Amino acid sequence: MFTPNVQLVSGRRVAGGALAVTLIVCGFAAIAVWLLGARNPYTPAGYVGYLTKGAVFGQSRFYGVQKGPTSAGRTWLLDVTNVSVTPYTYTENFTGEDAVLSRDNLKIAFRVHTVWRVDDSRVPLFMERFSTTISPDGHDREPDSIVKVAYSNFVREPLKTYARDEVQRRNGLEVKDALIQIGESVLGRIRQYADGSPFTISSVVVGNVQYPEEVASAVSRKLAATQELQRKDTEIEIERKERTKREVQAQGIANAMEIIRGQLSPMYIQHEAIEAQKQMVNSPNHTVVYIPVGPMGVPLTGTFNTTAGVPASK
């Protein structure tokens, strides 16, 4: 009776060891499966991560957001979609067939530059209502693809519509002088449209206005003619000033001569003649010969009739 009991105990020991081995193997398998399914998603700087947690059976659910640079820590079936929240500058071209007719039916080409971004506090709203599903491979190749697709679907067409409308309200040649006003009007309208959405529009700038070649040539010719007229007007004004200057100078000379004629007398002329003689006497470069022809040896001065002869000196 004793020996069978010993064999039974040995059988229990063998069964217990096998169970322990099985549990260890299952534990290692569970750890391996967890490691294969667990992830530590990373969000770089300039992005906000939209975290979702998957499930083997059932549906995935929203897990939270994380603002980069950071990671969530290794978690079972955790995934992230990173959304850029840095500013973008997009350009919409209105050229060729997309050129816009102004109020006076002039076809105008131009560009609209828009600066915008996704509001980092509204990334869940962006992902749930404005984003389009992008395959993981596509998102890895172009991380900003979700943002670009959402912009095209929500902002682009209304923005282009507002820009066309603002240009069509004005005459063609007035557009180039109203670019700032057009940009401000488009900015106000697109901000009102995007109010409550995750899109933040910072600025709208309209530029690069181009007119048809024949209009541009006509404007250039008109500008050249205007400049030529301005040049001729300047020349005429210069001539007018020169004429006025000559008239003033002539009037001054005439007034001076009138004053001089009114003050001249024979005694003054004799005085000037004597002063001139003094200067010649003191000059080493002149030889002066005096011919007394007047009283006291002073040369006669005045206007004389040469046909009547010169009066004899006493």
Side-chain angles (χ1 to χ4, degrees):
M1 295 292 296
F2 180 76
T3 300
N5 290 336
V6 173
Q7 292 178 351
L8 180 60
V9 172
S10 298
R12 289 179 178 177
R13 289 179 179 177
V14 171
L19 178 61
V21 171
T22 302
L23 290 176
I24 292 173
V25 172
C26 291
F28 279 112
I31 293 173
V33 171
W34 186 88
L35 290 176
L36 290 175
R39 300 182 183 89
N40 184 17
Y42 175 76
T43 298
Y47 289 78
V48 171
Y50 182 83
L51 297 169
T52 56
K53 190 172 184 180
V56 177
F57 301 100
Q59 298 179 346
S60 299
R61 61 182 177 84
F62 171 67
Y63 185 80
V65 295
Q66 59 182 15
K67 189 173 183 180
T70 189
S71 61
R74 186 168 291 277
T75 305
W76 171 253
L77 295 181
L78 190 63
D79 198 6
V80 65
T81 300
N82 291 321
V83 178
S84 175
V85 292
T86 56
Y88 290 86
T89 300
Y90 280 8
T91 299
E92 303 297 340
N93 294 311
F94 295 83
T95 58
E97 295 181 355
D98 293 330
V100 178
L101 286 176
S102 62
R103 186 169 60 183
D104 54 355
N105 295 324
L106 183 62
K107 201 169 187 179
I108 301 175
F110 61 96
R111 293 178 180 175
V112 177
H113 308 278
T114 308
V115 180
W116 66 280
R117 65 179 179 86
V118 175
D119 188 348
D120 55 359
S121 65
R122 296 186 174 184
V123 169
L125 175 64
F126 171 81
M127 289 296 300
E128 294 164 7
R129 295 183 54 187
F130 295 91
S131 67
T132 301
T133 302
I134 300 293
S135 65
D137 294 339
H139 188 263
D140 291 339
R141 289 193 299 269
E142 190 177 4
D144 299 338
S145 55
I146 292 178
V147 175
K148 292 181 178 179
V149 171
Y151 170 86
S152 298
N153 292 339
F154 183 75
V155 178
R156 184 180 183 184
E157 290 306 322
L159 176 71
K160 296 178 69 173
T161 299
Y162 298 150
R164 292 191 193 95
D165 182 61
E166 292 296 331
V167 171
Q168 290 172 347
R169 294 182 180 185
R170 295 169 170 83
N171 291 328
L173 296 180
E174 295 176 356
V175 172
K176 62 182 178 61
D177 298 324
L179 296 180
I180 296 178
Q181 293 86 343
I182 294 175
E184 291 176 349
S185 298
V186 175
L187 177 60
R189 295 175 69 176
I190 195 64
R191 277 182 173 174
Q192 184 177 3
Y193 168 78
D195 186 31
S197 74
F199 297 93
T200 300
I201 315 297
S202 301
S203 67
V204 174
V205 178
V206 180
N208 303 94
V209 176
Q210 296 179 358
Y211 294 99
E213 183 177 356
E214 57 273 15
V215 176
S217 299
V219 172
S220 298
R221 290 193 297 269
K222 181 179 179 181
L223 179 60
T226 302
Q227 292 176 343
E228 181 67 16
L229 289 175
Q230 291 177 349
R231 185 183 66 83
K232 291 184 178 297
D233 290 341
T234 302
E235 292 178 353
I236 291 173
E237 187 63 25
I238 292 174
E239 290 294 332
R240 184 179 291 110
K241 295 294 184 181
E242 289 291 337
R243 184 186 65 186
T244 303
K245 177 182 176 182
R246 291 192 296 269
E247 291 176 354
V248 171
Q249 289 177 341
Q251 186 63 42
I253 294 173
N255 294 339
M257 293 298 297
E258 186 67 23
I259 294 173
I260 292 173
R261 282 196 298 267
Q263 294 180 352
L264 291 179
S265 66
M267 295 299 295
Y268 176 76
I269 295 175
Q270 287 187 0
H271 174 269
E272 291 295 319
I274 293 172
E275 292 297 325
Q277 290 174 3
K278 288 181 180 180
Q279 292 179 0
M280 287 186 293
V281 169
N282 294 326
S283 175
N285 299 325
H286 292 80
T287 300
V288 182
V289 178
Y290 293 99
I291 302 175
V293 294
M296 300 178 66
V298 178
L300 295 175
T301 59
T303 302
F304 304 99
N305 187 356
T306 57
T307 58
V310 180
S313 62
K314 296 181 180 179

